[in-house]
Amino acid sequence: MSIKVEEPPAEPPLGKQSLEFKNKFFKEASIQDWNNWKWQIHNSITDYKRLEEIFGIKESGHNLPLRITPYYASVVYNSKKLGKTVFPSMNELVHSKGESLDPLHEEHDSPVKCLVHRYPDRVLFLVTNFCSTNCRYCTRSRIINNKEEEKNQLNEWNLAIDYIEQHKEIRDVIISGGDPLTLPDSLLSYLLTSLSEIKHLDMIRIGTKVPIVLPMRINSDLIDILKTVKPLYMSIHCTHSDELTEEVKTACNLLADNGIVMGSQTVLLKEINDEPETMKSLFHGLLKIRIRPYYIYQCDPLLGSAHFKTSVETGINIIENLRGHTSGYAIPHYVIDAPGGGGKIPLLPKYYQGQDEEGNILLRNYEYKNYQYFNN
Ligand SMILES: *Cc1c(COP(=O)(O)O)cnc(C)c1O
C-alpha cells in the first residue's frame, strides 16, 4: 500500500486568457503579483495613456474618470461586449429627459450618513466610496471616487451601527458602496463582527462586483473573515457570460463551499446583454457556479446613461423567454427601481389576464395557452 504524500497547495489558477494578457501588457509582473488583489488595485488602468496602449481608445476631451483592474481588462480584451461597460464615452455628456445624479433619491432616505433606510425591515449601508472597477452606468457614480485611500470612516460607521442597534425592526443589512470587498481585511472584519453582534439582525448581505472583476480577492484570509458571519448572503453584480472565467469559477466555488449564499444582480444594458439568449447563457453559467439569479434591473435614469437604456418591453420579453423554457432557478426578478425612491417594482409578462363573471381567474401560460382557476 502506498502512502499518499500531501501535495503542496496548487497555485491559484491563472486562466490562459489572463496569462496571455499579462505577458503582453504587464510583462514585469510575476504570477504572484497578478494573483495579489492589492497589486491588481495598485496597477489598475486609471489613465487614458494606458487605455490607449491596451485598447486603442483615445481620450476625446471629456477626461472622465476611469478604473479597470488588470484582471478585468484581460476579460474585456477578450470580449466583444464588455468594453462599453467600462470605457468612458462622450455619450456620458449627453443629458436626457428624466435623468438625474441621484435618480433613486437615496439621499432623501438617509437617516444618518452611510445609511439608506427605505424599507421597514432592512437597511442599505454604504461603507466605502471606492470600487476596483468603475461601471459607466453605475447608479452611485455620484459618490464613487477614484482614490484608493479613504479617510478613516470608523466614526461614520459607528453612527450607522448605532442606528441599526437602536432600530429593532431592522433584520437585514445590505453592505454596499462602492465595493465593500475592496476594504482591507481588518476593516471588513471590524464591520462584520460589529454587525454580527447585533441580536435582532437575521442576516447580512454584501453587494459586490469583486468576484467578477477581482476574483483573487476571494482568498483564504477573506474566507476566514466571511465564514464567521452567518448567515451571510452575497449579491454579485455581473453582466455577461464572458465574465465567467476559470478564476471566477474558483472564487465562487470557494464562497459557496464556505456557506455563503450567492445571488446575482444584472443591469439590462443595450447591445450588451439585451438578447434573451445572452441572458439565458449568463444565468445558466451562474447556476453552474452556485449563484442564483436574483435581479435584472432596468437601467436607472442616471445622468448621461441614455446610451445604455433599453425599452421596458425588452426586459419583459427576456422574462417571457425564460419562464417555462428553463429552470425556475435560472429566472431572476425583472425590476425597475422606481425613480424618486419608490423602491424595486417587479415587472412580468401578462400571465394574469383578469377574472370572468363566475370568479374564475384567467391565466395564460408560457405557450400562450389559456387556463382558468376557480377562485373561491
Ligand atoms: C435594493 C435595496 C434593498 C434590498 O432590496 P431587496 O428587494 O430586499 O433585495 C434595500 N434597501 C434599498 C435602499 C435598496 O435599494
Side-chain angles (χ1 to χ4, degrees), residues 131-132 174-182 205-214 217-218 222 226 233-238 255 260 262-265:
C131 255
S132 68
I174 299 128
I175 301 172
S176 185
D179 199 319
L181 294 185
T182 61
R205 299 193 237 178
I206 295 178
T208 179
K209 197 173 180 171
V210 154
I212 300 290
V213 294
L214 189 62
R217 174 69 178 108
I218 314 299
L222 179 70
L226 299 182
Y233 285 70
M234 206 175 261
S235 296
I236 298 176
H237 177 181
C238 57
L255 290 165
I260 291 140
M262 294 178 287
S264 68
Q265 322 199 70

Side-chain angles (χ1 to χ4, degrees), residues 22-31 33 39 43 50:
K22 182 194 93 59
N23 291 340
K24 196 161 177 192
F25 297 109
F26 293 87
K27 278 194 217 57
E28 65 300 344
S30 67
I31 291 184
D33 287 337
W39 180 91
N43 290 277
R50 208 66 181 110

Side-chain angles (χ1 to χ4, degrees), residues 112-113 115 154-164 166:
V112 297
K113 217 178 163 189
L115 287 185
L154 282 186
N155 285 342
E156 283 174 13
W157 282 7
N158 287 337
L159 289 175
I161 292 166
D162 285 347
Y163 178 92
I164 297 167
Q166 283 154 18

Side-chain angles (χ1 to χ4, degrees), residues 104 106 109 116-119 121-125 140 172 174 205 235 265 294-295 297 335 337 343-344:
L104 308 182
E106 295 193 320
D109 283 336
V116 183
H117 195 181
R118 169 166 306 150
Y119 297 107
D121 72 338
R122 53 213 192 278
V123 72
L124 180 63
F125 188 175
R140 300 224 179 82
D172 175 7
I174 299 128
R205 299 193 237 178
S235 296
Q265 322 199 70
Y294 182 47
Y295 278 134
Y297 293 104
V335 295
D337 215 333
K344 299 177 183 70

Side-chain angles (χ1 to χ4, degrees), residues 120-249:
D121 72 338
R122 53 213 192 278
V123 72
L124 180 63
F125 188 175
L126 305 175
V127 296
T128 175
N129 293 338
F130 181 77
C131 255
S132 68
T133 295
N134 295 354
C135 304
R136 306 320 302 178
Y137 50 86
C138 176
T139 193
R140 300 224 179 82
S141 46
R142 71 182 185 280
I143 60 170
I144 299 304
N145 65 36
N146 239 332
K147 288 185 223 84
E148 283 169 47
E149 308 299 331
E150 283 184 78
K151 64 179 188 335
N152 191 336
Q153 288 196 309
L154 282 186
N155 285 342
E156 283 174 13
W157 282 7
N158 287 337
L159 289 175
I161 292 166
D162 285 347
Y163 178 92
I164 297 167
E165 252 169 353
Q166 283 154 18
H167 289 258
K168 303 259 187 298
E169 71 277 17
I170 299 173
R171 38 166 290 290
D172 175 7
V173 174
I174 299 128
I175 301 172
S176 185
D179 199 319
L181 294 185
T182 61
L183 290 168
D185 286 354
S186 55
L187 285 178
L188 198 59
S189 175
Y190 170 81
L191 180 70
L192 291 172
T193 314
S194 310
L195 290 172
S196 288
E197 281 166 3
I198 301 177
K199 291 242 164 41
H200 59 267
L201 289 185
D202 294 344
M203 60 191 280
I204 296 173
R205 299 193 237 178
I206 295 178
T208 179
K209 197 173 180 171
V210 154
I212 300 290
V213 294
L214 189 62
M216 46 293 284
R217 174 69 178 108
I218 314 299
N219 57 22
S220 55
D221 289 343
L222 179 70
I223 294 287
D224 286 344
I225 295 169
L226 299 182
K227 75 182 177 197
T228 61
V229 186
K230 273 184 182 170
L232 182 65
Y233 285 70
M234 206 175 261
S235 296
I236 298 176
H237 177 181
C238 57
T239 303
H240 192 280
S241 59
D242 287 353
E243 294 174 325
L244 307 181
T245 62
E246 283 309 309
E247 288 92 327
V248 168
K249 287 177 193 168

